[in-house]
């Protein structure tokens, strides 16, 4: 099974992806539930939560 990384657009096998859930606490977006490739996670998301 593959998912499309919402950051880079590449197809990535789920077993090689990072499952990211973000509660935006807004009515417009609610909870974002995505699979992100590991390289995008390390470059774009991990610095935000470290």
């Amino acid at each position: 099974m593959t998912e499309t990384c919402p950051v880079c657009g590449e197809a990535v096998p789920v077993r090689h992806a990072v499952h990211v859930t973000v509660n935006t606490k807004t009515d417009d977006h609610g909870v974002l539930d995505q699979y992100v490739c590991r390289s995008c996670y390390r470059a774009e998301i991990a610095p935000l939560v470290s």
Side-chain angles (χ1 to χ4, degrees), residues 4 10-11 31 33 44 48:
T4 301
E10 293 293 322
V31 175
D33 186 18
E44 304 291 333
L48 299 174

Side-chain angles (χ1 to χ4, degrees), residues 8-27:
C8 68
E10 293 293 322
V12 61
V14 171
R15 69 176 190 255
H16 294 292
V18 177
H19 184 215
V20 177
T21 306
V22 177
N23 184 349
T24 67
K25 295 190 179 187
T26 66
D27 291 334

